[in-house]
């Protein structure tokens, strides 16, 4: 983190004991703990969910369930969070961590291909969070949009992609000549452009962590 982000974290409500325990467990028991949301990001997800209070929420890319737990802790008691994870090996950890967070009754876990699962989910989604394989972000975005309620929020994580999208915007020729750039960066840069031009949503790209695109469905 940089000093500005350190300062922001220091002046943000910390995780409660249950969510902190989930985060520590993810760090200790997964081979790729960097894939989990940070505590700072988790507080953002929890606060947004508690402000929107959607009846139905969706997460694509459960990993080991930390972000899942943060979103679900912000939901109302009778709300449901559908979370989709492609890697079946994570399912035991997801179940363990959502139980630790005390929100297992609000979670429906879907293991498999998100493109096949999304069409089967109910309409009226009020909050959707995409943090999965970057190459399929455009497909997930376009599959989710028709299922969102008016005024619902779609969040897409990693939309700055380590700053490489900025290189594409500012130094297009130079980057394209250098191994034609990173494939994920080009996909995300194109999606940023497409979302900004999409008349179905209003959007803002938030420059914290690795960038979160927030879209409000019109």
């Amino acid at each position: 983190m940089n000093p500005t982000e350190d300062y922001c974290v220091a002046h943000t409500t910390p995780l409660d004991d249950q969510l902190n325990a989930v985060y520590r467990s993810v760090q200790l028991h997964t081979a790729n703990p960097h894939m989990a949301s940070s505590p700072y990001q988790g507080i953002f997800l929890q606060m947004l969910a508690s402000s929107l209070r959607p009846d139905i929420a969706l997460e694509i890319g459960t990993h080991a369930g930390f972000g899942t737990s943060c979103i679900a802790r912000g939901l109302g008691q009778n709300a449901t969070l559908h979370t989709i994870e492609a890697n079946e090996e994570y399912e035991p950890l997801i179940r363990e961590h959502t139980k630790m967070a005390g929100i297992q009754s609000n979670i429906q876990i879907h293991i498999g291909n998100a493109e096949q699962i999304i069409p089967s989910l109910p309409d009226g989604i009020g909050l959707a969070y995409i943090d999965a394989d970057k190459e399929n972000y455009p497909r997930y975005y376009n599959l989710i949009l028709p299922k969102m309620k008016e005024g619902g929020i779609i969040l897409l994580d990693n939309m700055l992609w380590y700053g490489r999208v900025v290189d594409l915007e500012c130094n297009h020729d130079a980057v394209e000549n250098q191994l034609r750039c990173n494939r994920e960066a080009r996909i995300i840069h194109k999606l940023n452009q497409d979302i900004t031009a999409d008349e179905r949503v209003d959007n803002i790209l938030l420059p914290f962590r690795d960038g979160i695109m927030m879209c409000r469905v019109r």
Side-chain angles (χ1 to χ4, degrees):
M1 289 192 295
N2 59 45
T4 301
E5 190 166 338
D6 288 341
Y7 183 88
C8 292
V9 170
H11 293 84
T12 296
T13 302
L15 295 173
D16 62 33
D17 290 343
Q18 286 175 293
L19 289 177
N20 190 56
V22 171
Y23 182 74
R24 286 177 57 81
S25 180
V26 170
Q27 299 303 299
L28 289 172
H29 298 119
T30 62
N32 44 11
H34 65 281
M35 291 176 61
S37 298
S38 70
Y40 180 53
Q41 194 166 340
I43 291 295
F44 170 76
L45 293 172
Q46 182 181 8
M47 186 174 292
L48 185 61
S50 66
S51 298
L52 293 171
R53 287 286 167 150
D55 294 326
I56 304 169
L58 169 63
E59 177 188 40
I60 302 178
T62 317
H63 187 239
F66 173 65
T68 314
S69 299
C70 293
I71 295 170
R73 286 291 289 276
L75 298 177
Q77 191 172 17
N78 297 318
T80 300
L81 170 59
H82 294 269
T83 185
I84 303 173
E85 173 55 47
N87 188 346
E88 63 184 12
E89 293 182 2
Y90 281 122
E91 185 173 1
L93 274 177
I94 296 167
R95 295 193 181 280
E96 178 184 345
H97 290 150
T98 55
K99 185 176 181 180
M100 286 173 62
I103 43 78
Q104 69 271 28
S105 62
N106 295 94
I107 303 292
Q108 287 197 22
I109 300 169
H110 305 267
I111 303 297
N113 185 311
E115 289 186 71
Q116 297 174 0
I117 294 169
I118 293 168
S120 69
L121 299 179
D123 294 338
I125 296 169
L127 174 63
Y129 180 50
I130 304 174
D131 185 14
D133 52 311
K134 310 312 169 192
E135 293 193 8
N136 283 315
Y137 265 33
R139 295 185 183 91
Y140 299 152
Y141 172 78
N142 283 298
L143 282 170
I144 288 169
L145 251 178
K147 291 191 162 290
M148 298 294 297
K149 63 184 288 188
E150 183 178 346
I153 297 292
I154 301 173
L155 302 173
L156 301 95
D157 197 19
N158 303 112
M159 297 301 282
L160 292 177
W161 201 240
Y162 310 104
R164 292 170 189 160
V165 293
V166 181
D167 292 334
L168 280 167
E169 182 76 14
C170 300
N171 303 293
H172 181 77
D173 293 337
V175 173
E176 285 296 300
N177 288 333
Q178 185 180 1
L179 301 178
R180 303 212 36 97
C181 193
N182 175 280
R183 175 172 170 77
E184 288 88 351
R186 286 187 278 115
I187 290 169
I188 291 172
H189 177 55
K190 177 64 163 55
L191 182 56
N192 281 330
Q193 293 177 319
D194 290 346
I195 289 173
T196 302
D198 192 342
E199 295 184 353
R200 297 172 294 178
V201 300
D202 298 308
N203 67 291
I204 180 171
L205 180 54
L206 303 171
F208 76 84
R209 295 285 292 171
D210 195 28
I212 293 182
M213 176 68 82
M214 178 184 288
C215 310
R216 181 182 183 277
V217 180
R218 294 180 178 177

